[in-house]
Every structure is written in C-alpha cells, then in structure tokens.
Amino acid sequence: MQAYFFDMDGVLFDSMPSHAEAWVEVMHRHNLPITYREVFINEGRTGRSVIDECYRNAFGTEAPDGLWQQIYREKGRLFESKGEPATIGGVHEVLRFLKSKGKQIWIVTGSAQQSLFSRLDTCFPGIFTRERMITAYDVEHGKPAPDPYLAAWKRSGIEKSHCAVIENAPLGVRSAKAAGLFCMAVNTGILTLDDLAREHADIVFNDMHELLTFMQVADHIETHILPLYQNFDSGHNLSHARAVMNTSLQLASALRLYAAADGDSIKGFCCPVGGTRAALLAYTIAAYHDIGLSVDREHHHLNSGKMLRADRQLRHWFTDDEIELMACAAEDHRASAKQPPRTIFGAIVADADRDLNVTTVIRRALQYGIDRYPELSDDEHCRRAADHLQDKYSASGYMHLWLNDPQQTLQQQQLQLLISNPTELLKTTQQVMTSLKH
Ligand code: CA
C-alpha cells in the first residue's frame, strides 16, 4: 500500500461521544427524536441529511430551509461546548509507522468542524497537510456516496489497489467499498464488529493496536514475501498471491471468524484462533502459501510451511503456536490433497487458492502448458488444458471446495456445466488461447 485515507471523527479524534450527545440533546429540543446508537449508525452522513431524515420520520417532509441550518448551528455550538476531544488511543503509533515508511497520509471526512481541523497540527504535528485533505467543502455528495474517497484517490495519483481506507463507521465503510478501495475498519465506538463487517469492510479490528500489528505484518509481507512470487510461473505470480490474500479475507469475514471464540468448530473445521486475530492469520497464510515454489513444485506446499516456520521476523507478531498453525495451513492448501485440511485456516487458504472463474481457470491451465511444454502446438495446448480441467474440476475431479462459499459454489457449477460439454469446452479453450496471443 502506498496511500492511506484516514477518516477523522472516531479514527483520529475520540469525538463521537460528544457528537452523539450533542445530536441527541439538540434534536430532542426540536421534538425530533434520535438515539445515541442511531447517531453512531448514521455517522458519516452530512448534518443536513441526518436532520432531514429525522424530520421526515416525524413530519413526513424534509426539514424546511432555515430550520435545518439553525439546528445544525446549535448542534455545532453544543459540540464545541463539550470541550476538546482526545485523540484515539494508538492512532499516533499507526501514523508514525506509516510516516516512517514514507506513505501518503490523507484525511477524508464529511466534517465541516473548523475546531477539529485547527487541532490537527497541534495533535498530529508534521503528519497532515491541507493538500492531502478532503472535507465537506470539497465534494457535493458526502459519505456513504463514494465521492469523498474517489476524490482522495484521484488526487493521490496512486493505483487503486495500492490505496487503503481506515474507517470506524458503517456508512464510511460503504463509501470506501463503493469507491472500490481496500477498507480496514476499527471499531472505536459503541457499535459491534458485525455493524462494520456487514458493509463489507475487508478486515475489522477492535482497536488501533490491532490495526498497527496488521500494518506491520502487511509491510513485512509486501517487502520480503510477495517479491518471491515475481519469479514463479504465470499461474502462481504476484496477482495470484494477491487474489488468494483478498479471497482469504473475504472467506474469513463471511465465516464471521471475528465473532468466533478460540477452539470453536466452523463448518466442521476446528478454529484454534478466533476473533479479529483470525483474519490476520488467514491473510498471512495466504501470503506464504506458494513461496515453497522457490524450492520445487511437487512439494511446494510442504516447503511453504517450512519457510513460514523459518521466518524469524514473524516471531515479532505471532506466538509459536500461531506460527505452527499457519505453517500447517499452508501445507494443507494443495488441491490434490487427499486429506481434508486440519483447521479452518487450511480450508480457507485451500478454497481461496481455487480461482474458479472460467476464463481464469482456462488461462492458467494454458499458461502452465506453454511454460512447461513449449514444443506443443496451439491445438495440443488446448486439448491438454481441456483434459486438465476435466481431471481437476469435473463432478468426479480431484478438486474439493471445503467451505461451500455461495459465490464459489456458483462458479464451480458454471465450470462443471462447461466441462460436461466437451465441444463447448474445447471451443472456449481455443478462444482463450486466441486472446492470450493478442
Ligand atoms: Ca468516522
């Protein structure tokens, strides 16, 4: 990651309790009931849209001009009267870490609260600049629309896949995901992790210390582990590793591992480590799962496990038991394995490794053949790839899905439908072959 987009309220400043108290008090004054939790759920919306919605609930129409401005001014004054909010615990360490790594650090907020902007320099000296700030004044449509994060991304000049968002609010997560960005959600308020995961946050944390650990592990992976994939064949390259890392996080979230306790059984697999820690493990396993290819192909899964165990850097962040658990999961990822994975983590990396998109599967099979058997003709390559698909992915093939994720199951069915029609399969393979040559 090269650029980090930080939300402000609830991420930098512990300002949400004061905001919530001010909203509840002012709205009550105007006979527009709103609860403390509703303020947290609505966090990220503009003041006007919060007022409009409450007004609509009470009177069936939007708040008249004049009134909403008055309510918003009252709320702003009341917020100020509650004193300066503290910064969120652990966020200084996160910012210092990113600064030391030379990353771009941005603020992306729906706020128009001048008092907080002017405190940024005092509280976070040398971190933020006005040029790297998107506020209520910069975009017409605020969160949950994607506009604020899209604006930051465009100005950053960094590729989307190298940008990440740090959010604390469900609507902020929705905005980040609608903008197509990787989103890390830190639950700094009164909501549940579910409230954030439901909006498809890529990973959820209980606090900034967990976020910092994730960033440190991710930095180690980016710097020392992912470059290994540059030397592998095109079916096991960097984009394959990144896809497995992303799918592993999606599966961990869909399985609600963040809500699991250590030792729970999930889909018949033991989950020795649950909670937010589980996603960190799934992510790390995915990053290491194929590095054994740097030794050989036949035993690469075992060598990936060995190399993970031997990486002393991991001892900064993981216990011996966690390292052993991750190494075993990497060993269990092999599609041709006869035994089921030993833990949920093995099942996650095994399933995440199965990219079942029809075109991708055929392309990978063709590329493997082209790398391995350069003497074959195009036609022979197509037949070899079609045979391989038959062996591996047909209803009687050797590939299993362990977790039956609905999206993956659907893709598997589409693939099997194609495989069950040999003429159609060969035709599709030839089409992919043609596209590879252009
Ligand atoms: Ca926020």
Side-chain angles (χ1 to χ4, degrees):
M1 294 292 170
Q2 293 303 320
Y4 290 83
F5 305 146
F6 283 79
D7 169 55
M8 187 171 75
D9 286 295
V11 168
L12 301 177
F13 293 113
D14 192 12
S15 43
M16 278 311 295
S18 299
H19 277 298
E21 286 164 19
W23 273 118
V24 171
E25 200 175 323
V26 168
M27 298 295 256
H28 183 77
R29 222 185 266 164
H30 290 269
N31 289 319
L32 298 168
I34 189 167
T35 66
Y36 198 75
R37 182 179 152 82
E38 279 166 347
V39 177
F40 275 83
I41 286 283
N42 278 299
E43 189 200 336
R45 282 219 171 127
T46 60
R48 179 176 187 174
S49 89
V50 172
I51 295 163
D52 272 343
E53 183 167 318
C54 289
Y55 201 90
R56 215 177 293 118
N57 290 341
F59 305 108
T61 62
E62 285 177 359
D65 248 358
L67 181 65
W68 76 260
Q69 289 95 332
Q70 183 198 332
I71 295 175
Y72 193 51
R73 271 197 303 273
E74 284 177 37
K75 185 255 158 184
R77 278 198 297 271
L78 197 54
F79 172 79
E80 304 282 340
S81 75
K82 292 185 185 290
E84 295 185 333
T87 54
I88 292 279
V91 76
H92 280 100
E93 288 83 347
V94 169
L95 292 166
R96 268 204 299 273
F97 174 73
L98 295 178
K99 188 87 183 163
S100 76
K101 296 285 171 185
K103 309 293 184 188
Q104 281 195 20
I105 302 174
W106 290 69
I107 290 182
V108 180
T109 176
S111 174
Q113 205 80 41
Q114 289 299 341
S115 61
L116 287 186
F117 296 147
S118 52
R119 281 193 69 211
L120 282 169
D121 275 344
T122 325
C123 295
F124 304 99
I127 300 285
F128 300 107
T129 60
R130 185 62 192 93
E131 293 73 46
R132 290 185 179 167
M133 208 183 280
I134 303 290
T135 72
Y137 303 106
D138 295 297
V139 287
E140 191 180 338
H141 302 289
K143 302 171 191 176
D147 305 35
Y149 284 114
L150 283 176
W153 162 65
K154 280 181 190 150
R155 281 202 215 163
S156 76
I158 305 275
E159 208 180 298
K160 226 178 224 187
S161 59
H162 291 152
C163 299
V165 169
I166 298 94
E167 262 292 347
N168 73 306
L171 296 181
V173 174
R174 194 185 297 175
S175 165
K177 292 315 294 174
L181 294 165
F182 186 82
C183 183
M184 302 177 265
V186 189
N187 190 27
T188 60
I190 58 158
L191 300 178
T192 64
L193 291 172
D194 257 342
D195 290 323
L196 298 162
R198 244 198 317 273
E199 298 289 347
H200 307 289
D202 291 278
I203 187 162
V204 292
F205 303 103
N206 287 301
D207 55 45
M208 290 290 166
H209 305 288
E210 291 183 356
L211 173 67
L212 179 61
T213 302
F214 176 77
M215 285 180 168
Q216 289 169 337
V217 173
D219 180 65
H220 171 63
I221 286 171
E222 295 275 339
T223 317
H224 297 107
I225 303 304
L226 292 184
L228 296 172
Y229 286 83
Q230 286 163 359
N231 304 318
F232 302 158
D233 65 275
S234 38
H236 299 88
N237 56 14
L238 194 54
S239 71
H240 170 68
R242 288 196 191 281
V244 176
M245 289 158 77
N246 280 331
T247 310
S248 290
L249 285 183
Q250 281 164 20
L251 290 172
S253 179
L255 293 164
R256 299 181 75 253
L257 292 195
Y258 56 82
D262 295 358
D264 274 1
S265 172
I266 293 172
K267 300 244 178 187
F269 293 96
C270 172
C271 178
V273 176
T276 47
R277 189 92 186 146
L280 174 68
L281 266 61
Y283 183 84
T284 307
I285 295 160
Y288 283 73
H289 84 286
D290 268 344
I291 59 171
L293 285 168
S294 52
V295 183
D296 77 345
R297 187 176 182 96
E298 183 50 33
H299 303 292
H300 79 273
H301 54 303
L302 299 178
N303 285 318
S304 297
K306 259 188 214 159
M307 290 168 77
L308 192 154
R309 284 186 191 94
D311 185 346
R312 299 195 65 78
Q313 285 293 317
L314 292 179
R315 293 169 199 279
H316 290 305
W317 308 294
F318 298 100
T319 65
D320 288 353
D321 286 350
E322 286 173 334
I323 289 174
E324 186 53 28
L325 171 64
M326 294 194 291
C328 290
E331 290 172 353
D332 289 349
H333 86 268
R334 200 78 194 263
S336 51
K338 303 270 183 298
Q339 298 294 321
R342 287 164 279 186
T343 64
I344 191 74
F345 295 98
I348 287 174
V349 69
D351 278 14
D353 191 30
R354 319 282 171 259
D355 190 334
L356 297 169
N357 174 280
V358 170
T359 315
T360 312
V361 166
I362 296 175
R363 196 180 58 233
R364 288 184 72 191
L366 286 170
Q367 279 172 332
Y368 177 75
I370 294 166
D371 290 348
R372 193 76 183 258
Y373 312 106
E375 70 281 6
L376 296 187
S377 69
D378 286 5
D379 195 44
E380 285 168 327
H381 277 308
C382 289
R383 287 180 193 282
R384 198 205 66 83
D387 286 348
H388 168 72
L389 260 64
Q390 187 80 40
D391 283 353
K392 183 166 177 179
Y393 299 101
S394 69
S396 57
Y398 64 79
M399 192 216 72
H400 296 279
L401 278 182
W402 302 107
L403 300 169
N404 298 317
D405 176 68
Q407 204 187 334
Q408 284 195 312
T409 304
L410 185 68
Q411 286 184 318
Q412 186 185 31
Q413 287 163 352
Q414 286 165 346
L415 195 53
Q416 289 179 346
L417 189 69
L418 178 68
I419 291 170
S420 67
N421 182 341
T423 320
E424 203 52 38
L425 174 61
L426 193 61
K427 204 171 106 193
T428 313
T429 310
Q430 283 159 343
Q431 283 164 352
V432 177
M433 188 71 182
T434 310
S435 74
L436 272 181
K437 307 211 116 186
H438 292 293

